[in-house]
Amino acid sequence: MSSSTVWKVGIVGYGFSAKIFHIPFIQRSSNFRLHAVVQRNPSPGNDVTVDFPGVVSYQSAEDMVQDSTIDVIVITTPPNTHFHLTKLALDAGKHVVCEKPFTPTSAEAEELVTLAKNQERVLAVFQNRRWDADFATVSNLIESGTLGRIVEFETHYDRYRPEQPTNGSWKNQVMAGHGAIYDLGIHLLDQAVQLFGLPARVTGVVGSQREHTPAGLEDAFTVLLHYPGLLVTAKSTVVSAEEDQLRFWVRGDKGSYKKFHVDIQEEQLLAGMRPGDSGFAEEPSERFGTLVTVKDGRPSKSAFPTDKPPTYVAFYQTLADALAGACRPAASGEEARNTIRIIELARESSTLGRTLDF
């Protein structure tokens, strides 16, 4: 279903997330119109009213939520602000899209989920990597039965960045709801739960791999999700000296699939491409994964083309339908709460040195 209603959107924050991951897709959808942005300190070359003439600029979220013409508030600020700003918007009667990670704790997430229900507002979390091309490919291979019964599922976000970052970005600071497992792990765990549901048990190793981490920023993790007959490994490291980084390795009793490289959409967006441009979200053949199937008892290997995904536009298309009452949002607050709970258990498991029941 596709709603014909046009919803006015206000965005809190005008940084990387707003510019790269939200505005291009909001503009691509006929159901949304960018109406306002909170930008506290515009400057020459970084002014939303210059970049998007006609868009209203607010100095604070408190001012924005008083704008009665805004239907949806999109929160793109650092994770430690998500709870306060989401609550502020819901209390003002707005629908909310919150950037990932949703909140630092599952208790905060639950409070917001309850508030959204009481206010009869849609609450969605921007888990955009559900629409990665590689994840679409993996999902289709599993759902089609091509790999048979899945026994091991590895999902990686590895990099070679052994030196401590020196820029002043909030991403390099210790704060509630931040670190590699909240920043990158939230995507890997969300995808795993989409495929296999909630795990029975969780084992985690969370910490720092860089030699010098005076602030104690958690830059790496390995999380094991235990299911009957299946083990999921979600992993991110900053000390992976590889030319091509592993993304997926899925093993079943009828075959396996191995994929290197992350989805190309972010890379293309940073290069200036936009959804709808020719070739957007399409992987070149040299980045295809490898499919192994068993024929006559012998494994046979071949390159396997990456699916062309619906792109991150699908998030906002589904959101429009949810706002029209036709379905639930694609990534609901309830789902995000459950993934945050997995992260809490993984960090607790790492501290205690033992596996925990979900």
Side-chain angles (χ1 to χ4, degrees), residues 57-68:
S57 179
Y58 285 103
Q59 286 291 305
S60 72
E62 286 76 11
D63 290 336
M64 175 184 278
V65 299
Q66 299 305 314
D67 186 336
S68 62

Side-chain angles (χ1 to χ4, degrees), residues 141 256-260 288-292 300-304:
L141 283 170
S256 68
Y257 174 74
K258 185 179 287 187
K259 176 74 171 64
F260 294 83
F288 289 172
T290 300
L291 176 66
V292 176
S300 176
K301 180 173 70 173
S302 62
F304 191 79

Side-chain angles (χ1 to χ4, degrees), residues 196-217:
F196 306 114
L198 295 171
R201 294 173 294 146
V202 177
T203 307
V205 179
V206 182
S208 300
Q209 292 183 335
R210 293 186 174 105
E211 186 174 4
H212 302 290
T213 53
L217 179 67

Side-chain angles (χ1 to χ4, degrees), residues 56-192:
V56 180
S57 179
Y58 285 103
Q59 286 291 305
S60 72
E62 286 76 11
D63 290 336
M64 175 184 278
V65 299
Q66 299 305 314
D67 186 336
S68 62
T69 68
I70 294 177
D71 303 298
V72 182
I73 299 287
V74 179
I75 296 165
T76 69
T77 50
N80 62 340
T81 67
H82 288 180
F83 175 78
H84 165 70
L85 292 173
T86 300
K87 187 175 187 300
L88 179 73
L90 289 172
D91 280 335
K94 309 298 185 184
H95 303 286
V96 178
V97 172
C98 183
E99 253 294 355
K100 62 79 192 174
F102 183 22
T103 52
T105 70
S106 59
E108 291 171 317
E110 177 62 26
E111 182 175 339
L112 295 176
V113 167
T114 301
L115 177 59
K117 288 180 178 178
N118 291 341
Q119 294 284 71
E120 298 183 343
R121 300 293 90 180
V122 169
L123 173 59
V125 179
F126 192 62
Q127 293 288 170
N128 61 302
R129 292 195 175 276
R130 293 187 186 186
W131 295 277
D132 279 357
D134 48 24
F135 182 62
T137 305
V138 166
S139 300
N140 290 334
L141 283 170
I142 291 173
E143 291 171 8
S144 68
T146 301
L147 304 180
R149 179 176 57 86
I150 307 302
V151 297
E152 287 197 59
F153 181 90
E154 290 188 30
T155 174
H156 291 245
Y157 209 124
D158 300 328
R159 297 172 289 184
Y160 184 65
R161 298 180 183 176
E163 301 300 325
Q164 182 72 17
T166 56
N167 64 56
S169 169
W170 63 264
K171 288 197 171 187
N172 303 319
Q173 301 172 14
V174 176
M175 65 174 64
H178 188 45
I181 194 168
Y182 280 97
D183 183 28
L184 303 175
I186 198 78
H187 287 307
L188 307 186
L189 297 170
D190 176 74
Q191 289 178 340

Side-chain angles (χ1 to χ4, degrees), residues 1-9 26 28-33 71 316-317 319-321 323:
M1 176 179 176
S2 179
S3 169
S4 60
T5 304
V6 178
W7 307 86
K8 288 187 177 180
V9 177
I26 289 169
R28 182 65 180 170
S29 173
S30 61
N31 293 115
F32 296 98
R33 191 176 85 194
D71 303 298
Y316 277 101
Q317 290 173 334
L319 178 65
D321 290 339
L323 292 170

